[in-house]
Amino acid sequence: MTRAHLHSTAIGHALLGLMLAANAPAQDAGLAPEVAAQVDAVFKPWDRETSAGCAVSVTRAGETAYARGFGMAHLEQPAPITPDTIFEAGSVSKQFTATAIVLLALDGELSLDDPVREYLPELPDFGTPITLRHLLTHTSGLRTFRPLVALRGRPDGFAVHTNAEVLALMARQRDLNFPPGEEYLYSNAPYILSVLLAERVSGQSFNEFTTERIFKPLGMTSTLWRDDFTQIVKGRATAYGSGRSGGLHTNMANTEVFGNGGLLTTVGDLQRWNRELDEPTVLGQRFVDMLETPGRFNDGTESDYALGLAIGEHRGEREIAHSGGTAGYRSWLARYPDRDRLSLALLCNHGDISTVAVGHRVIDVFLGPADEAADAESPKPGIEVPLEELERWADPYLHTRTDSIVRITVRDGALSFGTVRTRPLGEDRFAVGLSGLVVAFETEEDGTRTLTLADDPERRYRAMPAVTPTPGELAEYVGSYTSAELDVTYSVEFQDGKLLFRRPLEKPRTLEPLFQDAFELSDPLLERFPARALFSTVVSWPARFERDADGRVTVLFISDSSRVRRLRFDRR
């Protein structure tokens, strides 16, 4: 290395250090230095020149209390993240798609209770009308699109998709996950359909309509939709995720599907949006009331999801929020209207960051010390469950209505829920990682072991004894299987002691035995980004074969974490 090169490198590092230093937290609302230091500490793992990171903004009563960037917007040509860096907002985008539909409703152009087929007649008639409100509250029953395109041989991240392609795929579906209005099940396809619907009703592109009606009036000057993934967007961060080598690899959203996600924005623009929801001066209170009205199920009970917004609480405070993730981008936007209009916007370009967990740590700094009353579900020091007590719960568990499967194992002396380690709250109750999820096991009178979720005791999983099929038993599944809904045929083959699921010219996916006639289909994205598996609590791709009266395998049903339930493949 030459002296000149050393000199230029030193200057470059010095300039980069100055840029990083320039991102010191804003204290417009008189934030005490020690409080700012507590927030800084949350982001310390990513606050370096070799890591992707986050931009974060916190406001109180509409005024900026803290805003800073941590880590790098780009790693190949290093540039630090600042509060002005543009990220993709993932599913935080959904509230803006819902806003477009609500504005059209306020214009008198449509009603939230209109059947979707009035505007998108390509969709099948499923017998019971799907309304626009069903689309926006995740109660439509429509399958999500990513597993469907993956099974067509065009997985997300490996192929470029469009909203029109998603509509065509939805038009081929013959079944829903459930009747409209019966359940809540998060799905991206309804929000993509909402974009197409808004474009047909308004006569404008979605970018034009939302810029004219939302972004420009609110001063969100750095916000637009990623409807052309090749467009150059000045100031946009590159997204990353942990790759096979353990280091970061680029993981960009090379797709033209949007509305479910795809909003390019900054933490500052998101705070302008939250300020409008707290004190509507442009869109009006009636608009906010409609957007924040929770969905209702057919039995009249209320959901905790409104129109692109989750309504909940944190530490006793009302929380209106949404998280998001697309490719290697991660996001979280949250408001606490009753706590001095506290608001947090968090945008990251590191796919391994849990923005909800990190965001709550930031919010906790501003909420102050937690109540001293012990959380009833917190793990108590000293609780130990003997190994034999843990092992009696180990097996796959099936939720028969949804085909959702969880695999309970014992690893390193602890019970694992999928790949996530649990902590004992008692002999039969366990906290799953840091998610807040608590599960309970029970042995019924007939000896059946069951698993329930503490926050949803009606969701009961039944233990299914694990099996290790012989080669002869595996051979019973070999054959060709066709999905009319996807217009695709796969072969199930037995090679080298393994069952493989493949299409010509594609890399096969393995079928790993779970229980009788049930397998886990391998995830094609795990090879590229294996860190995805570290946070898996359910079997991502359950595959279940069914037999006729003579015991012959005739049908294969594939699901995807229950967002796609029982997609049918008939044996030819």
Side-chain angles (χ1 to χ4, degrees):
M1 184 179 291
T2 67
R3 181 176 300 178
H5 182 77
L6 283 168
H7 182 65
S8 65
T9 301
I11 292 175
H13 283 197
L15 289 173
L16 185 59
L18 287 172
M19 287 190 288
L20 288 168
N23 286 333
Q27 298 181 37
D28 299 346
L31 190 66
E34 59 269 22
V35 176
Q38 291 180 56
V39 180
D40 291 348
V42 172
F43 296 93
K44 185 177 179 180
W46 308 287
D47 190 19
R48 57 184 189 271
E49 298 176 13
T50 57
S51 177
C54 302
V56 59
S57 169
V58 180
T59 65
R60 285 186 298 200
E63 298 294 330
T64 300
Y66 180 100
R68 189 177 175 185
F70 298 88
M72 308 305 291
H74 312 287
L75 294 175
E76 291 174 310
Q77 296 292 330
I81 291 171
T82 77
D84 295 324
T85 300
I86 294 173
F87 299 78
E88 191 159 321
S91 289
V92 167
S93 313
K94 285 183 169 67
Q95 58 201 280
F96 297 94
T97 301
T99 292
I101 300 297
V102 171
L103 291 176
L104 288 169
L106 290 172
D107 290 345
E109 298 292 333
L110 52 78
S111 167
L112 296 181
D113 298 312
D114 286 343
V116 175
R117 293 187 74 242
E118 285 189 14
Y119 307 96
L120 301 175
E122 300 95 324
L123 294 177
D125 182 353
F126 292 106
T128 302
I130 297 172
T131 67
L132 277 63
R133 194 182 302 275
H134 287 143
L135 294 183
L136 300 177
T137 56
H138 299 298
T139 56
S140 69
L142 286 167
R143 293 162 170 163
T144 198
F145 83 97
R146 284 194 172 97
L148 302 181
V149 294
L151 289 169
R152 291 193 80 190
R154 290 170 47 78
D156 202 40
F158 294 82
V160 178
H161 305 103
T162 65
N163 286 3
E165 180 182 351
V166 173
L167 174 59
L169 190 57
M170 292 298 107
R172 293 188 63 93
Q173 301 304 294
R174 296 181 178 179
D175 293 304
L176 297 170
N177 285 325
F178 51 82
E182 282 296 306
E183 298 181 37
Y184 167 94
L185 184 63
Y186 195 87
S187 179
N188 284 309
Y191 273 81
I192 297 165
L193 298 179
S194 296
V195 168
L196 295 169
L197 190 153
E199 289 182 329
R200 290 185 183 183
V201 172
S202 70
Q204 296 177 281
S205 75
F206 203 62
N207 244 327
E208 290 170 343
F209 180 81
T210 51
T211 297
E212 177 184 308
R213 298 291 300 274
I214 307 169
F215 308 144
K216 188 174 181 180
L218 296 181
M220 298 172 66
T221 56
S222 297
T223 299
L224 72 158
W225 294 96
R226 186 252 307 121
D227 57 3
D228 175 359
F229 79 97
T230 68
Q231 180 180 354
I232 295 172
V233 179
K234 187 177 181 181
R236 173 169 52 179
T238 300
Y240 300 90
S242 294
R244 291 185 295 271
S245 66
L248 289 177
H249 290 215
T250 57
N251 185 12
M252 293 294 288
N254 297 325
T255 180
E256 292 181 1
V257 166
F258 67 100
N260 60 311
L263 189 75
L264 301 176
T265 192
T266 66
V267 292
D269 275 8
L270 291 178
Q271 290 289 20
R272 292 178 182 91
W273 167 250
N274 265 3
R275 188 180 307 127
E276 174 68 13
L277 295 185
D278 276 332
E279 292 189 311
T281 59
V282 176
L283 301 178
Q285 187 62 51
R286 186 182 175 200
F287 158 79
V288 175
D289 292 342
M290 290 178 67
L291 195 71
E292 295 184 357
T293 297
R296 285 192 178 274
F297 300 112
N298 293 338
D299 64 5
T301 58
E302 196 172 86
S303 170
D304 58 5
Y305 195 93
L307 308 186
L309 292 168
I311 312 297
E313 68 171 40
H314 175 65
R315 287 181 47 183
E317 300 289 342
R318 184 163 63 105
E319 178 183 84
I320 303 173
H322 211 293
S323 62
T326 299
Y329 292 107
R330 296 293 181 266
S331 60
W332 193 51
L333 182 63
R335 296 163 46 225
Y336 302 85
D338 305 327
R339 190 64 179 254
D340 200 21
R341 304 200 309 280
L342 185 64
S343 172
L344 178 139
L346 177 61
L347 294 169
C348 305
N349 65 334
H350 193 314
D352 299 347
I353 295 176
S354 172
T355 47
V356 176
V358 169
H360 275 143
R361 288 179 62 193
V362 173
I363 285 298
D364 287 345
V365 172
F366 286 85
L367 292 178
D371 193 322
E372 294 182 1
D375 184 342
E377 298 296 354
S378 295
K380 306 299 187 295
I383 288 183
E384 293 186 7
V385 179
L387 188 62
E388 60 271 18
E389 290 296 318
L390 296 177
E391 289 177 341
R392 71 187 177 116
W393 303 124
D395 256 328
Y397 286 71
L398 170 68
H399 189 262
T400 53
R401 180 169 54 80
T402 66
D403 260 28
S404 176
I405 299 173
V406 296
R407 194 200 308 255
I408 305 300
T409 57
V410 177
R411 300 179 185 176
D412 301 324
L415 204 67
S416 288
F417 191 90
T419 59
V420 181
R421 187 182 179 95
T422 70
R423 299 164 293 164
L425 304 174
E427 288 189 357
D428 55 7
R429 289 175 67 80
F430 297 83
V432 181
L434 300 175
S435 66
L437 176 67
V438 173
V439 297
F441 294 91
E442 182 180 353
T443 301
E444 298 180 355
E445 290 184 3
D446 63 357
T448 301
R449 290 163 298 150
T450 62
L451 177 156
T452 57
L453 312 183
D455 62 350
D456 187 7
E458 298 300 316
R459 191 174 180 87
R460 185 174 295 269
Y461 290 77
R462 178 164 51 93
M464 307 293 289
V467 297
T468 304
T470 66
E473 291 169 334
L474 290 175
E476 296 180 18
Y477 305 107
V478 171
S480 294
Y481 295 81
T482 297
S483 167
E485 293 171 284
L486 299 182
D487 189 25
V488 66
T489 297
Y490 279 85
S491 62
V492 174
E493 305 169 3
F494 180 61
Q495 293 183 10
D496 301 325
K498 294 181 179 180
L499 212 57
L500 303 179
F501 187 71
R502 74 160 79 226
R503 291 179 69 199
L505 306 179
E506 291 182 9
K507 188 174 182 179
R509 298 168 65 177
T510 59
L511 285 160
E512 181 182 346
L514 290 168
F515 51 86
Q516 182 63 42
D517 291 335
F519 295 78
E520 179 174 9
L521 184 62
S522 61
D523 188 335
L525 285 180
L526 285 185
E527 283 192 25
R528 182 181 287 187
F529 298 106
R532 288 165 56 101
L534 300 177
F535 312 104
S536 175
T537 55
V538 298
V539 172
S540 297
W541 289 87
R544 297 182 65 199
F545 294 89
E546 293 191 359
R547 301 171 184 264
D548 62 16
D550 297 324
R552 180 178 177 274
V553 174
T554 57
V555 182
L556 168 62
F557 290 99
I558 296 179
S559 304
D560 170 74
S561 301
S562 83
R563 290 192 187 183
V564 168
R565 298 179 184 172
R566 295 178 64 80
L567 184 70
R568 184 184 182 102
F569 288 77
D570 289 292
R571 192 175 189 178
R572 296 169 60 184

